[in-house]
């Protein structure tokens, strides 16, 4: 199996929902929510790509870095790379339904594990979405992270208990799902959380808790003060609010505020290993990848997912060699041009 084959098969399987464009930049699918596009004009989706494109790498080849270390450890789990699978649901209404929700997340989880990393599983309007993630988590103890929508407090608490029972490594909430169009269409009550509500949610579980969807330094600080062990800088792939900045643009301010107080993930627009290295140099501890792995899953199942992840890993290794970066756990900002 190779990437050309995966992409050709995915294009057929995702027909009408994702065009598997040569460059996945949100232009062809702008406004397609449900679907794989960004909300409204698609500006927020495109902003993720544009923010990353503005970051440039200094090439250095006279140095002693021969074998860069790509391994990264998350809450006792050693990973082959600081790249995780973002939580994605909605196979039926976002991706065309050629795979069931259960089949889709099973392939995503297995592909991530085969590549030596982890998959975050998501939540959605159909209970089968969250339940499918938990089923995959139960089959791979400690191999998944369950992310919950900002539902009513009692529902979140129930989901947290189910996640603990499944044996997931960690859990969390994609707080930016508060305004999801698809949730509203399905009559699912979601909404913003107050600081005290976030504290209450996080105190409900003994598992490490991730707050996903942080786009300002002050909210990063609030999430950490509420007890979050990690945050994800993310605009939800540009799928919830038009005209937000790109994740890479707001990352430095978040890093300045909470670096060392919580693990910092970033999600949005990652298409290459060089993109990963840029975000690590901007201060992230690890990155999440979403849309490219949907193509991997629909084009080649778990093998396709692992192939995509390993390609990112190989590109990251090459970028580290060509910038003199020895360790993903200590990426200096000096590898970035103009910094």
């Amino acid at each position: 199996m190779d990437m050309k084959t995966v992409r050709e098969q995915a294009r057929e399987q995702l027909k009408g929902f994702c065009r598997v464009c040569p460059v996945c930049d949100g232009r062809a699918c702008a406004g397609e929510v449900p679907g794989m596009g960004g909300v409204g004009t698609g500006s927020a989706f495109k902003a993720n790509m544009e923010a990353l494109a503005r970051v440039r790498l200094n090439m250095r080849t006279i140095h002693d870095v021969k074998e860069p270390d790509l391994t990264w450890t998350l809450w006792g789990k050693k990973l082959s790379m600081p790249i995780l699978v973002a939580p994605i649901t909605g196979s039926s209404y976002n991706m065309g339904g050629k795979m069931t929700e259960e089949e889709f997340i099973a392939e995503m989880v297995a592909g991530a594990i085969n590549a030596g990393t982890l998959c975050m599983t998501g939540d959605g309007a159909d209970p089968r979405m969250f339940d499918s993630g938990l089923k995959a988590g139960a089959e791979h103890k400690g191999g998944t992270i369950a992310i919950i929508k900002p539902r009513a407090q009692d529902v979140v608490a129930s989901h947290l208990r189910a996640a603990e029972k499944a044996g997931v490594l960690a859990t969390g909430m994609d707080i930016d799902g508060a305004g999801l169009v698809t949730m509203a269409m399905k009559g699912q009550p979601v909404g913003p959380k107050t600081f005290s509500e976030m504290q209450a949610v996080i105190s409900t579980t003994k598992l490490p808790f991730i707050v996903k969807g942080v786009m300002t330094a002050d909210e990063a600080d609030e999430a950490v003060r509420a007890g979050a062990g990690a945050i994800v800088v993310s605009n939800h792939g540009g799928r919830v609010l038009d005209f937000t900045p790109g994740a890479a643009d707001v990352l430095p301010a978040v890093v300045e505020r909470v670096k060392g107080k919580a693990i910092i993930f970033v999600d949005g627009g990652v298409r290459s290993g060089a993109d990963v290295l840029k975000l690590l140099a901007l201060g992230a501890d690890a990155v999440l990848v979403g849309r490219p792995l949907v193509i991997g899953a629909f084009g080649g199942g778990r093998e396709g997912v692992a192939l995509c992840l390993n390609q990112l890993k190989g590109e990251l290794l090459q970028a580290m060699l060509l910038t003199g970066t020895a360790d993903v756990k200590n990426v200096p900002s000096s590898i970035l041009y103009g910094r």
Side-chain angles (χ1 to χ4, degrees):
M1 183 177 291
D2 56 30
M3 284 305 304
K4 181 181 178 182
T5 302
V6 167
R7 291 178 64 82
E8 287 174 351
Q9 293 180 172
R11 189 173 290 110
E12 183 63 31
Q13 293 295 307
L14 292 165
K15 188 175 291 184
F17 291 83
C18 176
R19 295 154 185 83
V20 190
C21 299
V23 178
C24 177
D25 58 9
R27 297 182 187 279
C29 57
E32 295 180 4
V33 180
M36 294 296 290
V39 71
T41 67
S43 170
F45 182 147
K46 289 179 276 190
N48 281 330
M49 311 291 298
E50 293 161 357
L52 268 170
R54 286 192 293 271
V55 181
R56 300 284 170 167
L57 296 166
N58 290 319
M59 186 166 69
R60 292 193 174 94
T61 54
I62 303 174
H63 54 70
D64 61 358
V65 178
K66 307 287 188 180
E67 297 181 0
D69 184 359
L70 276 69
T71 61
W72 186 68
T73 301
L74 176 65
W75 293 311
K77 189 88 170 182
K78 187 174 182 179
L79 309 181
S80 67
M81 63 186 101
I83 306 170
L84 286 77
V85 180
I88 304 172
T89 59
S91 176
S92 59
Y93 54 75
N94 287 327
M95 307 166 211
K98 292 291 180 69
M99 296 175 72
T100 67
E101 198 70 33
E102 188 171 314
E103 289 168 342
F104 170 69
I105 196 59
E107 296 306 299
M108 292 285 265
V109 169
I113 290 172
N114 288 347
T117 187
L118 294 172
C119 180
M120 293 190 181
T121 64
D123 185 14
D126 187 332
R128 286 175 295 183
M129 295 175 182
F130 187 69
D131 292 345
S132 294
L134 291 192
K135 181 180 178 182
E139 292 172 357
H140 302 277
K141 298 289 186 182
T144 65
I145 295 171
I147 302 296
I148 304 165
K149 289 284 182 284
R151 301 173 177 275
Q153 294 291 89
D154 60 333
V155 179
V156 174
S158 175
H159 278 36
L160 286 171
R161 289 193 293 272
E164 290 176 340
K165 185 176 180 180
V168 301
L169 179 69
T171 188
M173 177 183 291
D174 50 344
I175 191 71
D176 52 353
L180 267 176
V181 173
T182 46
M183 294 292 287
M185 288 172 63
K186 301 291 184 179
Q188 297 290 312
V190 292
K193 297 292 183 185
T194 66
F195 177 77
S196 60
E197 285 173 333
M198 283 305 305
Q199 278 187 311
V201 164
I202 294 170
S203 68
T204 302
T205 181
K206 295 179 180 179
L207 292 173
F209 195 93
I210 302 167
V211 175
K212 182 178 180 291
V214 173
M215 284 293 284
T216 64
D218 62 311
E219 287 213 336
D221 188 54
E222 287 202 13
V224 174
R225 289 193 297 111
I231 61 168
V232 183
V233 177
S234 172
N235 66 7
H236 210 95
R239 295 175 58 77
V240 291
L241 178 63
D242 211 353
F243 305 113
T244 63
D249 278 339
V250 303
L251 177 60
V254 171
V255 167
E256 184 176 357
R257 185 70 68 92
V258 301
K259 184 73 170 180
K261 299 177 183 178
I263 296 165
I264 301 174
F265 294 98
V266 62
D267 166 49
V270 175
R271 300 291 183 268
S272 70
D275 286 338
V276 174
L277 188 61
K278 292 177 191 179
L279 292 168
L280 298 180
L282 288 172
D285 295 301
V287 307
L288 309 184
V289 178
R291 286 179 179 90
L293 301 180
V294 172
I295 292 169
F298 275 82
R302 62 192 62 191
E303 291 180 35
V305 173
L307 183 66
C308 291
L309 285 166
N310 283 321
Q311 177 172 297
L312 290 169
K313 181 183 176 184
E315 293 167 350
L316 174 58
L317 174 64
Q318 182 181 32
M320 292 174 73
L321 285 168
L322 292 173
T323 55
T325 305
D327 192 336
V328 294
K329 296 176 283 297
N330 182 26
V331 180
S333 61
S334 60
I335 71 167
L336 301 179
Y337 177 73
R339 299 193 181 242

